[in-house]
Each structure stands twice: as C-alpha cells, then as structure tokens.
Amino acid sequence: MSIPDHLTGSYLRLLTEWTDDEIHVITKRLDEGTAHPMAVKRILASEVVAALHGLDAAATARAEFTARFSKRSFGETLNLPVIALNDHAEDTLGTLISRTLDFAPSISAVRRVALQNDLRLIRESDGDQQTTQLTEVSVQQTLGAVVSEAGALDGAGLYLKVGRKVARIDV
C-alpha cells in the first residue's frame, strides 16, 4: 500500500502476468478516478503473494491485512509475534521491545517512540478496543506491572503496539 499511486501501472507490468491492454485499462481507470488505488494495490499484492507463496498464502495475507488495517482488529491476525506474560513478566518494557521483539534498535529508541505517543497497550474484546497510552516511564516498568495497571482482562486479547508493529501478549 505504500507504493505511490502513479507507479501502480509500472508495478503491474513488472510483477504480474497481466497483458498490456489490461494494464492500460486499469491505469486509465485510475487516472479517471473510476478505480480506487487501494483496491488495485490489493489486487497487485494478492497476485505477488500468490505467485511467490501460493493461493492459500495470498488469501491468508488478504484476510490479515483486512483485519489489521481495515477493521483495526488484531484478534483475527495470525502472524503476530507472541509474548507470554509468564515468561516475560519481569522484563522491562524497553528490553522486551528492543531485544526480545526487536521492534526498536535500542531502549533509547523505545523511549523516543513513547515520547511520540506511539507506544500503546491495547485491550480488545468483541471488536471493542481500549487503548492505554504508555509513557516514557512505562519503558522502565516490567511487563507484569504494565499489564496489571491495565486492569482486569476478563478474557480480552492484549496487544502491545510500538509504532506500526504489534505483538500479542498471552496472559
């Protein structure tokens, strides 16, 4: 989705087996505004994944993209890294994010993410999300302390979001 809209035709030429006529029709529709760039990019992504990994992988990737970015629901996403609370309760959040998950190059980088208000603990239950903004102080707290401050889980899914990266916390 991050490729510029004006390069979609080039990507279709390079990465798919579409004919020149098919590509011309879709690029014309993009130029006229009768085709949405995101819809075309989804088709492109699906074709590339199918060519490299097969149709089942393409269907899975499409479903995960929809769950994660369109529905903004992490419960249906299958390929998230998982952190077991029992194993990492005593690890500080900074260490967990930078060393265990490798979501940031250093603890200082994790602090910067927190200062940018991009470090969150997300509680998801039945499609409803509750977000707890984590601060620079949270980076030095243990995962157990951060989770306990979030309150009772009552069967809700728990996720740690660091910028655009997300990990599931198994409680």
Side-chain angles (χ1 to χ4, degrees), residues 83-151:
I83 294 294
L85 181 60
N86 292 340
D87 298 338
H88 297 282
E90 298 304 314
D91 294 352
T92 65
L93 211 52
T95 302
L96 183 73
I97 292 167
S98 65
R99 295 188 185 137
T100 306
L101 290 170
D102 200 27
F103 280 1
S106 66
I107 295 173
S108 296
V110 177
R111 266 192 236 107
R112 284 191 294 276
V113 170
L115 285 171
Q116 295 169 353
N117 296 324
D118 226 0
L119 184 60
R120 298 180 180 95
L121 189 66
I122 299 171
R123 208 175 135 198
E124 188 174 271
S125 177
D126 298 325
D128 183 39
Q129 287 187 352
Q130 295 174 336
T131 301
T132 303
Q133 190 74 42
L134 301 176
T135 64
E136 185 180 7
V137 173
S138 304
V139 174
Q140 298 303 319
Q141 292 179 307
T142 64
L143 179 63
V146 170
V147 169
S148 68
E149 285 178 11

